[in-house]
Amino acid sequence: MEIFFGAFTSEWQQRRAALLHELSLGPKRRSSAEDEMKRRLKAMAELGGGGAGSGGGSQPKMRRPAAKPIFAAETRAAAVSRPIEARLAAVAQGSQPAVVKMASYGAGARVGAMLNYVSRGGELAVENENGERISSLEDLARLRGDWNHLFQNRAESRDIGSFTVEIATAAVSSDEAMHELVRNSLTSAFADRRYAYAVTRQADGAVMVQGAVVLRSGQGERLTGDDKAASIIQARYDASAAAQDVAARFSFQGYGNGVEYGASKLRSLVERHDGDVRDDRGQIVGDDKRAGDLVQKEWRGDLHSRKGRDVMHLIMSARAGTNVEAFENAARDFLAEQFAGHRYVFAMHDPANDPKEEGDGGKRPHVHAHAIITMRSESGDRIETTPQVFREWRATMAQMARAHGIAMEMTDRREFASPPAFTRNQVRPVSREGRTEHVGTSEAAQGRYDAKRGGRRSLAKAERSFEYAIKATQSWQKIALASGDRRVVAYAEQQRDHLTASLSAGQAEASVNVVHADFGSKFRANLVTLQKVVLEGQEMRETTRAEFEAYEKKVETALFRLERSVGPDERGDFDEVASVAREHVNGRRELMELYAMKGQAQAEQGTATERDERRDDANEQWDAAVAKHGKAVVEAVNDVLVDIETSREGLDRIEAGELSNDPRVFRADIERGLARAAELAVQGNTYMREVAEKDPELKRAIEAAEQTQERPAEEQGKTPANVDAVTEQQRDPRPEEAERRPDEPAEQAHELASTVDATNRLQDKLNRDKEAAQRGGETTRTDPAQQHIPRLEELEREELERRERDRDDRDR
């Protein structure tokens, strides 16, 4: 075959090191890695287009693990399952399918009943996870206590209740009038709940009503189905209009969980009253089928049923005639392998020694094992029960069976176009003689049962299942062509034809091209497609993570299609092609990650450069201002501006909700700062006037100060033109806001701003403590922050006194 990937078998680590070296040299150096990649991509394209000999490609230096398959559902058990062709060939030769199915879940309260069933009431010995045999009822009873620490002990929901209503003597003209009276009484008590009932007339003319009711209402209220619930229902009826016409007494006789309980109770009611049962809509429920349909189809959605899942009941089975001892050993190994760390017991049900009679469900013709397993392990892990997990269990069971000489394989219904299985809730047994016969609980369930028992062919509709069916069809075709056994060939061709017909019925245009494909030519076409995908984007630009993931997925899809058309003689070539293609993808992944690192480093360097530029600009402005106006003039202006901007920032934080301080304090500080700035400008500070051209508020303050200075002295005394007079009217009368003179030096204003800032920080800390206490569930009768206000005032006074002392020391 042609090998066109040889250009990509060079050392990716060298290119990775080159790019890392470029990053270490800084952003001004350009790497040659991209150019080198372009050259290799071009060489690969030329080599792929011209064609190279089968020995022209060099071997890769290392083989990376294969990427995850795109269709993971059928490969979840890849560690224990075998290739599809090997499995199907074994089935064609007579291997039996592995059967591992879930019988039921149970809460901790049902463990005793489940153990009793598995052990046939203690007549069969069970074996635990340690290999110990338990045969006595006392030891079985102790298991419940030994496992109790692994149970959640969640109570089952009470879904359906059995009720009785005694209605006093009432004059009714007909049976229909009587039923109308009964339904009116029941609806008055049960509201919108669904129910079914039967009526019995008493000798004294009273009416006795028996029935079953859904305990959960449409609004979500769930009755408990006991005496307490009966008193609630009775009170509601007594308050209704129906109670004015006829007296009635309600009571509950029991309750249960789930559809099975409800169907059983309703069927029993139908049997006792010879089919004279009606539902809340007046429709007759005359037989078992109608009773089952009513619960299954109409009541199920209203139950919102829940059960505790502390243990699960698992069944492993094999064909009749399988060696019992070998199957028991295989089941033991399967449980030990798959459920290590969990508590469990299992027992074999062999028809030769089953104490339960065939008519009661015992002595099944096939050998099988029952296991009761705790859902949670000793380390706290819970068992997952998904279709992929069950596939893995079947693969493990088949592996253990083969190890003990039993020909068994994991199979998939998509490999045979088999119909889906029916569940235990969809059918009920009607005969246990030989193979158990069932009837469906609904028309849909009956159709599913008939399809399974009749062997009707059916193909899953999902796209992934359709792709898998195509792969299985090709596998059957290969088995038919490769096998020399006539029996195997006939079986493989039969299964191939079944799948072909199912594919044609589902999507005829897709099945024709695949089922009757020429594998050799299809392989070459898929190979070319893979080449185009891998060579996509030859410019090797900087790829984002999303673009790379899309590219990787396209390569894996192309590999999957190529593998699907590989013949037995081309398997080795495909493995080589896949290895080199995935190595190329891994190289692209490394480059993508390095590009991301490079971009991040450049972004960080750009941010630092911007900060340096801003700092350089500020220094240049300072130097220019000092050179023009003098250092003393610039420093005086700077001190005033810092105080103003600090107060403005505090006011902005209050408006944004970050601080809860009184905004008047900051406004007063701003006004004082503006007054000081205006005073400097009036006194001849040219730099202050220059700065004011860019600050409208500062400019207005200077203009107001100039107008005040030009006015006569008597007017100045009458009208407060300076900002301190306004401040005096707005001042907060707290102790820390003492009287200040207009000619107070700038240093004291700066000290006041610092004090306010310290106060704000302490207030913020108290607010954060309060919020943390509220989030943690701690509540107090009063606001903690308000309780600390005296302490705040004390701290502020101490800060002011300390600054006064420091200033006096400096003056001295």
Side-chain angles (χ1 to χ4, degrees):
M1 63 169 285
E2 296 181 358
I3 301 295
F4 55 88
F5 288 106
F8 279 93
T9 56
S10 61
E11 297 80 358
W12 283 95
Q13 293 183 349
Q14 294 180 1
R15 289 193 289 278
R16 176 177 178 273
L19 190 54
L20 287 172
H21 178 65
E22 180 216 356
L23 290 174
S24 66
L25 294 178
K28 296 183 180 180
R29 295 291 303 272
R30 298 296 299 172
S31 174
S32 62
E34 297 181 15
D35 296 334
E36 189 264 350
M37 179 62 67
K38 292 178 181 178
R39 288 196 302 271
R40 291 185 177 274
L41 280 168
K42 183 177 180 181
M44 178 179 176
E46 294 175 353
L47 185 60
S54 60
S58 61
Q59 296 297 324
K61 297 297 181 182
M62 58 179 294
R63 292 188 179 271
R64 300 180 183 273
K68 288 185 178 181
I70 297 174
F71 301 93
E74 59 269 14
T75 58
R76 179 70 177 265
V80 292
S81 64
R82 302 198 292 167
I84 181 173
E85 292 179 18
R87 292 190 293 102
L88 297 184
V91 172
Q93 294 170 2
S95 291
Q96 59 178 304
V99 178
V100 180
K101 59 184 180 181
M102 177 73 66
S104 64
Y105 297 98
R110 294 196 64 243
V111 169
M114 298 172 77
L115 292 174
N116 186 66
Y117 174 81
V118 170
S119 65
R120 294 292 195 239
E123 296 187 48
L124 293 179
V126 300
E127 183 176 322
N128 65 11
E129 70 279 358
N130 298 322
E132 301 169 346
R133 306 284 286 185
I134 303 173
S135 55
S136 67
L137 291 175
E138 292 78 7
D139 293 337
L140 286 175
R142 277 196 293 270
L143 281 179
R144 171 69 176 81
D146 295 340
W147 294 0
N148 188 64
H149 66 285
L150 301 174
F151 297 159
Q152 292 179 333
N153 290 316
R154 182 180 181 182
E156 295 181 346
S157 58
R158 301 181 182 185
D159 300 328
I160 295 177
S162 299
F163 68 87
T164 299
V165 183
E166 298 179 11
I167 300 178
T169 304
V172 290
S173 58
S174 64
D175 287 346
E176 288 302 323
M178 178 187 66
H179 283 288
E180 185 68 25
L181 173 66
V182 170
R183 285 197 299 275
N184 185 38
S185 300
L186 295 179
T187 302
S188 299
F190 295 141
D192 63 346
R193 292 178 173 85
R194 303 298 305 275
Y195 59 82
Y197 68 93
V199 178
T200 303
R201 282 184 174 271
Q202 303 294 328
D204 58 355
V207 174
M208 177 67 70
V209 182
Q210 294 178 312
V213 61
V214 175
L215 294 176
R216 188 181 186 275
S217 70
Q219 287 71 38
E221 179 195 39
R222 190 185 294 270
L223 296 174
T224 53
D226 51 16
D227 294 341
K228 181 179 179 181
S231 63
I232 294 174
I233 294 300
Q234 186 69 53
R236 290 178 181 175
Y237 177 77
D238 293 340
S240 67
Q244 299 176 4
D245 300 329
V246 61
R249 183 174 183 82
F250 291 79
S251 63
F252 281 101
Q253 280 69 50
Y255 54 82
N257 173 270
V259 172
E260 294 181 12
Y261 175 85
S264 175
K265 286 296 181 182
L266 209 53
R267 291 189 183 111
S268 176
L269 189 67
V270 169
E271 183 178 354
R272 291 199 310 269
H273 293 272
D274 297 328
D276 190 13
V277 177
R278 302 196 183 194
D279 65 4
D280 54 297
R281 298 171 184 174
Q283 299 176 351
I284 297 177
V285 186
D287 53 26
D288 288 353
K289 183 179 184 303
R290 175 57 187 157
D293 289 348
L294 180 64
V295 180
Q296 288 273 0
K297 295 182 177 180
E298 300 184 26
W299 290 8
R300 176 190 289 272
D302 297 331
L303 299 183
H304 290 262
S305 179
R306 66 176 187 271
K307 289 184 177 181
R309 291 189 173 186
D310 293 326
V311 294
M312 68 177 180
H313 180 188
L314 204 66
I315 300 177
M316 302 143 282
S317 61
R319 288 175 179 168
T322 303
N323 185 285
V324 177
E325 183 179 358
F327 184 75
E328 182 178 7
N329 292 331
R332 180 184 296 109
D333 293 346
F334 161 73
L335 293 171
E337 171 71 19
Q338 201 67 59
F339 303 106
H342 291 262
R343 298 287 191 95
Y344 61 82
V345 295
F346 77 98
M348 293 295 300
H349 285 194
D350 180 10
N353 58 11
D354 193 343
K356 197 172 185 178
E357 295 300 327
E358 185 176 2
D360 298 328
K363 298 186 182 300
R364 298 292 88 196
H366 60 280
V367 59
H368 58 281
H370 293 261
I372 308 298
I373 309 167
T374 61
M375 294 295 292
R376 190 169 67 177
S377 70
E378 293 288 352
S379 59
D381 299 326
R382 287 190 66 84
I383 296 174
E384 294 183 3
T385 52
T386 62
Q388 291 79 11
V389 170
F390 276 103
R391 184 183 181 91
E392 181 182 351
W393 289 356
R394 295 198 307 273
T396 304
M397 184 65 207
Q399 182 186 37
M400 299 305 173
R402 290 194 301 270
H404 290 279
I406 303 174
M408 184 178 289
E409 296 291 340
M410 187 275 293
T411 58
D412 192 307
R413 78 176 187 88
R414 297 172 294 181
E415 299 163 354
F416 304 89
S418 300
F422 53 87
T423 65
R424 61 193 300 266
N425 292 329
Q426 294 174 323
V427 297
R428 59 186 180 88
V430 294
S431 174
R432 301 185 185 276
E433 298 293 334
R435 188 181 189 185
T436 306
E437 297 294 329
H438 301 81
V439 295
T441 56
S442 64
E443 293 182 6
Q446 185 65 44
R448 188 163 183 166
Y449 174 77
D450 293 340
K452 189 65 177 178
R453 284 295 172 91
R456 189 184 308 160
R457 301 293 169 175
S458 175
L459 192 65
K461 305 300 182 183
E463 181 180 355
R464 184 176 62 185
S465 298
F466 183 81
E467 294 282 353
Y468 189 87
I470 294 174
K471 184 177 181 180
T473 304
Q474 296 173 353
S475 299
W476 286 120
Q477 172 73 1
K478 294 176 184 178
I479 293 171
L481 293 175
S483 178
D485 189 332
R486 263 193 250 175
R487 183 172 60 86
V488 173
V489 172
Y491 185 87
E493 290 178 345
Q494 182 185 31
Q495 300 303 325
R496 179 202 62 192
D497 294 341
H498 287 322
L499 281 173
T500 302
S502 299
L503 289 169
S504 300
Q507 193 174 351
E509 66 278 7
S511 63
V512 172
N513 295 332
V514 178
V515 177
H516 302 290
D518 174 44
F519 292 104
S521 60
K522 194 71 175 178
F523 177 80
R524 182 58 56 85
N526 287 330
L527 196 65
V528 174
T529 301
L530 177 63
Q531 175 190 11
K532 293 179 180 179
V533 172
V534 174
L535 292 177
E536 171 183 281
Q538 295 190 19
E539 69 276 8
M540 282 299 292
R541 58 185 174 83
E542 295 187 14
T543 308
T544 64
R545 186 171 298 276
E547 292 172 339
F548 171 76
E549 290 176 353
Y551 167 77
E552 183 181 27
K553 185 175 181 180
K554 290 177 67 175
V555 172
E556 286 296 332
T557 304
L559 283 173
F560 171 77
R561 292 174 178 170
L562 179 63
E563 182 182 13
R564 204 172 59 191
S565 59
V566 166
D569 298 335
E570 297 169 330
R571 171 58 62 176
D573 295 334
F574 168 77
D575 292 340
E576 184 178 358
V577 168
S579 175
V580 179
R582 285 172 177 144
E583 185 175 359
H584 170 64
V585 172
N586 289 331
R588 288 282 300 270
R589 180 187 292 105
E590 292 182 1
L591 287 177
M592 180 269 296
E593 293 174 351
L594 289 173
Y595 282 134
M597 293 170 55
K598 177 181 177 181
Q600 183 179 1
Q602 290 176 345
E604 293 176 354
Q605 185 173 3
T607 302
T609 302
E610 291 177 359
R611 288 197 300 267
D612 293 341
E613 291 175 353
R614 289 195 299 268
R615 185 164 54 250
D616 293 341
D617 291 342
N619 292 335
E620 291 176 1
Q621 293 176 4
W622 175 271
D623 294 339
V626 169
K628 183 178 180 180
H629 302 284
K631 184 176 181 181
V633 173
V634 174
E635 287 180 348
V637 172
N638 186 68
D639 291 340
V640 176
L641 294 179
V642 167
D643 293 341
I644 294 174
E645 290 303 320
T646 301
S647 300
R648 286 174 174 174
E649 182 180 356
L651 195 60
D652 292 339
R653 293 179 63 188
I654 292 176
E655 294 177 353
E658 298 178 5
L659 292 178
S660 59
N661 301 70
D662 189 348
R664 291 178 297 177
V665 176
F666 291 100
R667 292 194 188 101
D669 292 340
I670 293 174
E671 296 295 341
R672 279 191 291 273
L674 291 174
R676 179 56 182 162
E679 182 181 355
L680 290 176
V682 171
Q683 292 175 357
N685 191 312
T686 56
Y687 183 54
M688 179 61 75
R689 292 185 177 274
E690 183 177 321
V691 173
E693 295 297 326
K694 301 178 182 180
D695 191 329
E697 189 177 13
L698 185 59
K699 186 176 182 180
R700 287 194 299 268
I702 294 175
E703 292 175 351
E706 291 176 342
Q707 293 175 2
T708 302
Q709 188 177 26
E710 293 174 357
R711 294 169 60 187
E714 60 275 9
E715 293 185 8
Q716 294 184 24
K718 295 178 182 179
T719 305
N722 56 34
V723 292
D724 285 310
V726 179
T727 303
E728 181 64 26
Q729 299 172 6
Q730 298 178 347
R731 182 170 299 137
D732 187 1
R734 293 188 299 176
E736 67 272 19
E737 294 297 321
E739 185 73 22
R740 295 186 177 88
R741 298 183 306 277
D743 58 348
E744 193 173 20
E747 180 182 1
Q748 185 172 352
H750 180 69
E751 292 173 354
L752 178 61
S754 302
T755 304
V756 172
D757 186 64
T759 304
N760 292 340
R761 288 196 299 270
L762 182 56
Q763 182 68 49
D764 291 345
K765 181 177 182 305
L766 293 174
N767 291 338
R768 288 195 298 270
D769 294 341
K770 174 185 175 182
E771 293 173 357
Q774 291 175 348
R775 288 194 299 268
E778 299 177 3
T779 58
T780 58
R781 297 181 180 272
T782 58
D783 188 351
Q786 295 296 331
Q787 295 174 0
H788 287 78
I789 285 178
R791 177 56 179 165
L792 278 174
E793 296 173 351
E794 180 181 352
L795 290 174
E796 292 175 11
R797 286 195 299 270
E798 291 176 359
E799 181 69 17
L800 285 173
E801 293 174 359
R802 184 184 64 80
R803 291 184 179 275
E804 290 289 346
R805 289 195 300 271
D806 293 342
R807 188 182 61 182
D808 294 340
D809 292 340
R810 289 196 300 270
D811 294 341
R812 287 195 298 269

